[in-house]
Amino acid sequence: MATTSGSGDGGGDQATAMRRLRMLSLHLQDPSSSEGKEALALAACAAGGRRRATGGADAAAALAAFLRGRHRDAQVRVFEYFQTRPDLQTPVEMSTAAHRELCFRQLCALVREAGVRPLSLMANDPAEYFAVMEAAGGVDISLGVKLGVQYSLWGGSIINLGTKKHRDKFFDGIDNLDYPGCFAMTELHHGSNVQALQTTATFDPVTDEFIINTPNDGAIKWWIGNAALHGKFATVFARLILPLQGKGGDPADMGIHAFIVPIRDLDTNAVLPGIEINDCGHKIGLNGVDNGALRFHSVRIPRDNLLNRFGDVSRDGKYTSSLPTINKRFAATLGELVGGRVGIAYSSMSILKVSVTIAVRYALLRQQFGPPKKPEISVLDYQSHQHKLMPMLASSYAFHFATLYLVDKYCEMKKTNDEDVMADVHVLSSGLKAYITSYTAKSISLCRESCGGHGYAAVNRFGALRNDHDIFQTFEGDNTVLLQQVAGDLLKQYQEKFKGGTLSVTWNYLRDSMGTYLSQPNPVTARWEGEDHLRDPNFQLDAFRYRTSRLLHSVAARLQKHSKTLGGFGAWNRCLNHLLTLAESHIESVILAKFIEAVKRCPDEKTRELLKLVCDLYALDRIWKDIGTYRNVDYVAPNKAKAIHKLADYLSYQVRLVAQELVDAFDLPDLVIRAPIGMQSEAYAQYTQYVGF
């Protein structure tokens, strides 16, 4: 609700009251119009609640057709299967034990009854695999995560870190769920710093085995998905130790490697000897996933259980690798595991769509206050509400196209094994995962707020969405750590530019435009404020890239300066916030570039115009939110900054007029939305029925 506050200088003064009413009336008008222009059609708004523009249903259908991925049919099959199985649908309230049991039944049914083979999809067409994962997460986010643990992590480690002998032995059992497994990387004392893991795998040349051991409490494997109840195997990351092969006959530490360790009996599910498993217990969210802690007491495994794609040990204990150093082997190992980050970015974008859809539909339905003797109006007609939700809706579209691009690049990487593409995907997945999950986490809370008291009801889902999604910011790489990887790569590319080297595809603009962006801003264009100029994608993308290039140039100079007195690590820490801002700025540039490309390739003119509107809002809202940066370097003059702010508000209003079409185009079935206040029709009726009326 929009409110005004009293001034205290004669509250009964008629002129003051009329002035306030006039301000409220203007607030409900087109923000770009003058006082005399026609106000919104308030009566139509009150009568219809969720107002559609002419041809709105057709517009939504056309836009949905453009958004629909080539694997939408696979998603529909997942939705239709669970729609026919109410016994497999997650209720609003249930215990941790019941949720875990249900989640495992959901996964088994998806694989064994619905006939989905996720590991085969991941091996043959990763794009379809990610589409199925998104659909599973729509049924229950815990199901999407449990599927990811089984196939992206446990199965992915076999495919990506093992060799033919491992795939021959384990692939089918993982695919059909005969071999449920875990991914045991994180330890109690180490998460992000994987190279410092303490679990050991010592080769015994007498028995031709590795001995897996947890040397201290800090090395206990912690937060391991599928470990508490269902996992029969674990891919354990440990330090490979070779006796007598170091200096002076000491043991040689060959760095972190991955090993297949059976943890439970396949028939009885009993924990195997030498292995200790405890339950990590009830969590803030994702309680359908059974996270456990693993301790190994000199557990022996065959030498063949070393996942040996990047390093192997022969029968006589000799180590061989195609990669010459521990650091290169470590980088190659982690580089093959980026699929998890791709899946999280993709899933987070999907959760944002659900949250925005619920909030927008409710804002169109909910009516509060209005001009005197006039019907109440929808809360989405308040400018303040538009300011909350419309940029978020635009970001949902931006992230949609950015994550599709990420999936396409990942598929290209798996098909070609091109080193440049692999490097690109590694940094791109790090940046998009960090940026999208952070944005979504904040947005879910804002969506809850925007729905008032009804947003606080568990049945309307914001609590579960927030709690289940929150950990997305941490697992598969802490967001702050991932953004530093992006910044580090940008600095590397920056150095290459001055050495005359080539740049990876995503950073091409740095090669072509560094000199342009680092020159003094043009005092003429800095003052241009016309709508055509501000809505020109060239201006928008130039502004994003100018900011990134300035940040890159300045942080490189700061690092060089501070490294002389603080050393490399100290200088990095001194500039850390600057580096994180640089990484976010670059990722925003990539997101906008992919959105602009999507608008250009849209074949239908009306749909293209609608997408252009949304893209313009995304771009100008982001520029306005960081307007201080542009003002500080005179890239934008004061009059232009004011024009950007005014136009962003106007575009929010324009997007509000088609907000229903935009959320309907996400094509999310009721099975995924579930919140009564977010249903396409009869929302209040469904809500009252839920509570017993």
Side-chain angles (χ1 to χ4, degrees), residues 346-372:
Y346 196 73
S347 298
S348 181
M349 174 272 301
S350 179
I351 292 167
L352 178 62
K353 285 181 180 178
V354 173
S355 302
V356 171
T357 297
I358 296 170
V360 167
R361 284 180 176 167
Y362 179 69
L364 289 164
L365 171 74
R366 183 72 165 181
Q367 297 167 8
Q368 294 289 286
F369 304 100

mmCIF file of all heavy atoms in Angstrom, residues 346-372:
data_model
loop_
_atom_site.group_PDB
_atom_site.id
_atom_site.type_symbol
_atom_site.label_atom_id
_atom_site.label_comp_id
_atom_site.label_asym_id
_atom_site.label_seq_id
_atom_site.Cartn_x
_atom_site.Cartn_y
_atom_site.Cartn_z
ATOM 1 N N TYR A 346 20.920 -23.162 -12.961
ATOM 2 C CA TYR A 346 19.692 -23.432 -13.717
ATOM 3 C C TYR A 346 18.502 -23.615 -12.770
ATOM 4 O O TYR A 346 17.422 -23.051 -12.982
ATOM 5 C CB TYR A 346 19.933 -24.688 -14.547
ATOM 6 C CG TYR A 346 18.963 -24.935 -15.676
ATOM 7 C CD1 TYR A 346 19.008 -24.169 -16.834
ATOM 8 C CD2 TYR A 346 18.024 -25.956 -15.609
ATOM 9 C CE1 TYR A 346 18.140 -24.416 -17.884
ATOM 10 C CE2 TYR A 346 17.148 -26.212 -16.651
ATOM 11 C CZ TYR A 346 17.205 -25.436 -17.793
ATOM 12 O OH TYR A 346 16.344 -25.675 -18.823
ATOM 13 N N SER A 347 18.705 -24.366 -11.699
ATOM 14 C CA SER A 347 17.626 -24.623 -10.738
ATOM 15 C C SER A 347 17.254 -23.362 -9.970
ATOM 16 O O SER A 347 16.077 -23.125 -9.679
ATOM 17 C CB SER A 347 18.046 -25.725 -9.765
ATOM 18 O OG SER A 347 18.277 -26.945 -10.447
ATOM 19 N N SER A 348 18.252 -22.554 -9.623
ATOM 20 C CA SER A 348 17.976 -21.314 -8.894
ATOM 21 C C SER A 348 17.129 -20.377 -9.737
ATOM 22 O O SER A 348 16.197 -19.732 -9.232
ATOM 23 C CB SER A 348 19.295 -20.645 -8.502
ATOM 24 O OG SER A 348 19.069 -19.461 -7.774
ATOM 25 N N MET A 349 17.439 -20.288 -11.012
ATOM 26 C CA MET A 349 16.632 -19.478 -11.925
ATOM 27 C C MET A 349 15.186 -19.963 -11.930
ATOM 28 O O MET A 349 14.238 -19.169 -11.911
ATOM 29 C CB MET A 349 17.240 -19.550 -13.329
ATOM 30 C CG MET A 349 16.449 -18.885 -14.442
ATOM 31 S SD MET A 349 15.215 -19.992 -15.207
ATOM 32 C CE MET A 349 16.223 -21.335 -15.801
ATOM 33 N N SER A 350 14.988 -21.270 -11.906
ATOM 34 C CA SER A 350 13.640 -21.841 -11.906
ATOM 35 C C SER A 350 12.900 -21.493 -10.616
ATOM 36 O O SER A 350 11.698 -21.179 -10.641
ATOM 37 C CB SER A 350 13.738 -23.359 -12.072
ATOM 38 O OG SER A 350 12.462 -23.950 -12.059
ATOM 39 N N ILE A 351 13.590 -21.537 -9.486
ATOM 40 C CA ILE A 351 12.975 -21.186 -8.199
ATOM 41 C C ILE A 351 12.586 -19.714 -8.182
ATOM 42 O O ILE A 351 11.539 -19.330 -7.642
ATOM 43 C CB ILE A 351 13.936 -21.537 -7.052
ATOM 44 C CG1 ILE A 351 14.081 -23.064 -6.945
ATOM 45 C CG2 ILE A 351 13.447 -20.957 -5.717
ATOM 46 C CD1 ILE A 351 15.229 -23.520 -6.058
ATOM 47 N N LEU A 352 13.418 -18.866 -8.783
ATOM 48 C CA LEU A 352 13.073 -17.446 -8.886
ATOM 49 C C LEU A 352 11.792 -17.268 -9.693
ATOM 50 O O LEU A 352 10.919 -16.470 -9.324
ATOM 51 C CB LEU A 352 14.224 -16.682 -9.534
ATOM 52 C CG LEU A 352 14.002 -15.179 -9.750
ATOM 53 C CD1 LEU A 352 13.788 -14.453 -8.426
ATOM 54 C CD2 LEU A 352 15.179 -14.564 -10.505
ATOM 55 N N LYS A 353 11.645 -17.998 -10.785
ATOM 56 C CA LYS A 353 10.423 -17.909 -11.593
ATOM 57 C C LYS A 353 9.185 -18.266 -10.765
ATOM 58 O O LYS A 353 8.152 -17.596 -10.849
ATOM 59 C CB LYS A 353 10.514 -18.866 -12.785
ATOM 60 C CG LYS A 353 11.424 -18.427 -13.906
ATOM 61 C CD LYS A 353 11.392 -19.478 -15.023
ATOM 62 C CE LYS A 353 12.280 -19.122 -16.184
ATOM 63 N NZ LYS A 353 12.274 -20.182 -17.223
ATOM 64 N N VAL A 354 9.285 -19.328 -9.967
ATOM 65 C CA VAL A 354 8.146 -19.742 -9.137
ATOM 66 C C VAL A 354 7.796 -18.638 -8.146
ATOM 67 O O VAL A 354 6.623 -18.267 -7.984
ATOM 68 C CB VAL A 354 8.470 -21.057 -8.405
ATOM 69 C CG1 VAL A 354 7.360 -21.391 -7.401
ATOM 70 C CG2 VAL A 354 8.640 -22.201 -9.400
ATOM 71 N N SER A 355 8.801 -18.090 -7.477
ATOM 72 C CA SER A 355 8.568 -17.059 -6.463
ATOM 73 C C SER A 355 7.942 -15.815 -7.081
ATOM 74 O O SER A 355 6.977 -15.255 -6.535
ATOM 75 C CB SER A 355 9.889 -16.696 -5.775
ATOM 76 O OG SER A 355 10.486 -17.829 -5.190
ATOM 77 N N VAL A 356 8.484 -15.378 -8.207
ATOM 78 C CA VAL A 356 7.967 -14.181 -8.868
ATOM 79 C C VAL A 356 6.547 -14.414 -9.360
ATOM 80 O O VAL A 356 5.682 -13.529 -9.257
ATOM 81 C CB VAL A 356 8.890 -13.773 -10.037
ATOM 82 C CG1 VAL A 356 8.257 -12.670 -10.865
ATOM 83 C CG2 VAL A 356 10.239 -13.311 -9.508
ATOM 84 N N THR A 357 6.273 -15.601 -9.883
ATOM 85 C CA THR A 357 4.933 -15.898 -10.371
ATOM 86 C C THR A 357 3.908 -15.810 -9.250
ATOM 87 O O THR A 357 2.839 -15.201 -9.414
ATOM 88 C CB THR A 357 4.900 -17.300 -11.013
ATOM 89 O OG1 THR A 357 5.775 -17.320 -12.151
ATOM 90 C CG2 THR A 357 3.493 -17.665 -11.463
ATOM 91 N N ILE A 358 4.211 -16.399 -8.105
ATOM 92 C CA ILE A 358 3.285 -16.331 -6.968
ATOM 93 C C ILE A 358 3.065 -14.888 -6.550
ATOM 94 O O ILE A 358 1.926 -14.439 -6.348
ATOM 95 C CB ILE A 358 3.822 -17.162 -5.785
ATOM 96 C CG1 ILE A 358 3.900 -18.646 -6.151
ATOM 97 C CG2 ILE A 358 2.929 -16.973 -4.552
ATOM 98 C CD1 ILE A 358 4.640 -19.496 -5.132
ATOM 99 N N ALA A 359 4.151 -14.135 -6.415
ATOM 100 C CA ALA A 359 4.048 -12.754 -5.933
ATOM 101 C C ALA A 359 3.293 -11.866 -6.916
ATOM 102 O O ALA A 359 2.468 -11.032 -6.510
ATOM 103 C CB ALA A 359 5.440 -12.191 -5.673
ATOM 104 N N VAL A 360 3.563 -12.014 -8.206
ATOM 105 C CA VAL A 360 2.903 -11.168 -9.211
ATOM 106 C C VAL A 360 1.418 -11.520 -9.317
ATOM 107 O O VAL A 360 0.558 -10.624 -9.360
ATOM 108 C CB VAL A 360 3.606 -11.301 -10.576
ATOM 109 C CG1 VAL A 360 2.757 -10.693 -11.696
ATOM 110 C CG2 VAL A 360 4.969 -10.620 -10.526
ATOM 111 N N ARG A 361 1.107 -12.798 -9.355
ATOM 112 C CA ARG A 361 -0.311 -13.170 -9.461
ATOM 113 C C ARG A 361 -1.100 -12.686 -8.249
ATOM 114 O O ARG A 361 -2.237 -12.206 -8.373
ATOM 115 C CB ARG A 361 -0.440 -14.691 -9.617
ATOM 116 C CG ARG A 361 -0.087 -15.174 -11.016
ATOM 117 C CD ARG A 361 -0.224 -16.675 -11.139
ATOM 118 N NE ARG A 361 0.029 -17.121 -12.512
ATOM 119 C CZ ARG A 361 0.213 -18.390 -12.859
ATOM 120 N NH1 ARG A 361 0.175 -19.343 -11.922
ATOM 121 N NH2 ARG A 361 0.438 -18.709 -14.115
ATOM 122 N N TYR A 362 -0.492 -12.786 -7.077
ATOM 123 C CA TYR A 362 -1.196 -12.306 -5.884
ATOM 124 C C TYR A 362 -1.330 -10.786 -5.925
ATOM 125 O O TYR A 362 -2.373 -10.237 -5.544
ATOM 126 C CB TYR A 362 -0.454 -12.733 -4.622
ATOM 127 C CG TYR A 362 -1.126 -12.241 -3.359
ATOM 128 C CD1 TYR A 362 -2.352 -12.760 -2.951
ATOM 129 C CD2 TYR A 362 -0.541 -11.237 -2.589
ATOM 130 C CE1 TYR A 362 -2.976 -12.298 -1.813
ATOM 131 C CE2 TYR A 362 -1.152 -10.768 -1.446
ATOM 132 C CZ TYR A 362 -2.371 -11.302 -1.056
ATOM 133 O OH TYR A 362 -2.999 -10.842 0.073
ATOM 134 N N ALA A 363 -0.301 -10.090 -6.387
ATOM 135 C CA ALA A 363 -0.354 -8.628 -6.450
ATOM 136 C C ALA A 363 -1.414 -8.151 -7.434
ATOM 137 O O ALA A 363 -1.991 -7.071 -7.268
ATOM 138 C CB ALA A 363 1.013 -8.076 -6.842
ATOM 139 N N LEU A 364 -1.674 -8.929 -8.466
ATOM 140 C CA LEU A 364 -2.746 -8.603 -9.408
ATOM 141 C C LEU A 364 -4.119 -8.896 -8.806
ATOM 142 O O LEU A 364 -5.094 -8.201 -9.093
ATOM 143 C CB LEU A 364 -2.560 -9.394 -10.705
ATOM 144 C CG LEU A 364 -1.392 -8.963 -11.599
ATOM 145 C CD1 LEU A 364 -1.071 -10.037 -12.630
ATOM 146 C CD2 LEU A 364 -1.695 -7.640 -12.290
ATOM 147 N N LEU A 365 -4.182 -9.910 -7.982
ATOM 148 C CA LEU A 365 -5.449 -10.310 -7.364
ATOM 149 C C LEU A 365 -5.833 -9.402 -6.204
ATOM 150 O O LEU A 365 -6.986 -8.992 -6.069
ATOM 151 C CB LEU A 365 -5.322 -11.753 -6.867
ATOM 152 C CG LEU A 365 -6.465 -12.298 -6.005
ATOM 153 C CD1 LEU A 365 -7.673 -12.591 -6.880
ATOM 154 C CD2 LEU A 365 -6.010 -13.558 -5.280
ATOM 155 N N ARG A 366 -4.865 -9.090 -5.358
ATOM 156 C CA ARG A 366 -5.109 -8.371 -4.113
ATOM 157 C C ARG A 366 -5.446 -6.907 -4.384
ATOM 158 O O ARG A 366 -4.717 -6.211 -5.086
ATOM 159 C CB ARG A 366 -3.870 -8.449 -3.226
ATOM 160 C CG ARG A 366 -4.020 -7.807 -1.860
ATOM 161 C CD ARG A 366 -4.908 -8.632 -0.963
ATOM 162 N NE ARG A 366 -4.789 -8.222 0.429
ATOM 163 C CZ ARG A 366 -5.452 -8.812 1.414
ATOM 164 N NH1 ARG A 366 -6.256 -9.836 1.148
ATOM 165 N NH2 ARG A 366 -5.303 -8.396 2.659
ATOM 166 N N GLN A 367 -6.551 -6.421 -3.816
ATOM 167 C CA GLN A 367 -6.970 -5.036 -3.982
ATOM 168 C C GLN A 367 -7.008 -4.353 -2.619
ATOM 169 O O GLN A 367 -7.553 -4.890 -1.664
ATOM 170 C CB GLN A 367 -8.342 -4.970 -4.654
ATOM 171 C CG GLN A 367 -8.337 -5.549 -6.064
ATOM 172 C CD GLN A 367 -9.722 -5.775 -6.617
ATOM 173 O OE1 GLN A 367 -10.712 -5.361 -6.014
ATOM 174 N NE2 GLN A 367 -9.804 -6.444 -7.760
ATOM 175 N N GLN A 368 -6.389 -3.165 -2.560
ATOM 176 C CA GLN A 368 -6.353 -2.415 -1.310
ATOM 177 C C GLN A 368 -6.410 -0.918 -1.613
ATOM 178 O O GLN A 368 -5.590 -0.404 -2.383
ATOM 179 C CB GLN A 368 -5.073 -2.706 -0.528
ATOM 180 C CG GLN A 368 -4.942 -4.142 -0.023
ATOM 181 C CD GLN A 368 -5.891 -4.478 1.108
ATOM 182 O OE1 GLN A 368 -5.721 -4.073 2.234
ATOM 183 N NE2 GLN A 368 -6.917 -5.241 0.761
ATOM 184 N N PHE A 369 -7.375 -0.225 -1.016
ATOM 185 C CA PHE A 369 -7.509 1.224 -1.108
ATOM 186 C C PHE A 369 -7.782 1.683 -2.542
ATOM 187 O O PHE A 369 -7.806 0.907 -3.476
ATOM 188 C CB PHE A 369 -6.269 1.930 -0.538
ATOM 189 C CG PHE A 369 -5.962 1.540 0.887
ATOM 190 C CD1 PHE A 369 -4.974 0.616 1.159
ATOM 191 C CD2 PHE A 369 -6.691 2.086 1.939
ATOM 192 C CE1 PHE A 369 -4.691 0.242 2.464
ATOM 193 C CE2 PHE A 369 -6.417 1.714 3.245
ATOM 194 C CZ PHE A 369 -5.419 0.795 3.507
ATOM 195 N N GLY A 370 -7.992 2.958 -2.682
ATOM 196 C CA GLY A 370 -8.262 3.568 -3.966
ATOM 197 C C GLY A 370 -8.709 4.995 -3.771
ATOM 198 O O GLY A 370 -8.887 5.458 -2.635
ATOM 199 N N PRO A 371 -8.929 5.725 -4.854
ATOM 200 C CA PRO A 371 -9.414 7.108 -4.733
ATOM 201 C C PRO A 371 -10.791 7.140 -4.069
ATOM 202 O O PRO A 371 -11.519 6.134 -4.086
ATOM 203 C CB PRO A 371 -9.489 7.578 -6.188
ATOM 204 C CG PRO A 371 -8.594 6.654 -6.938
ATOM 205 C CD PRO A 371 -8.679 5.340 -6.234
ATOM 206 N N PRO A 372 -11.166 8.291 -3.495
ATOM 207 C CA PRO A 372 -12.479 8.390 -2.828
ATOM 208 C C PRO A 372 -13.628 7.993 -3.746
ATOM 209 O O PRO A 372 -13.670 8.369 -4.918
ATOM 210 C CB PRO A 372 -12.557 9.870 -2.443
ATOM 211 C CG PRO A 372 -11.137 10.323 -2.365
ATOM 212 C CD PRO A 372 -10.401 9.533 -3.411
#
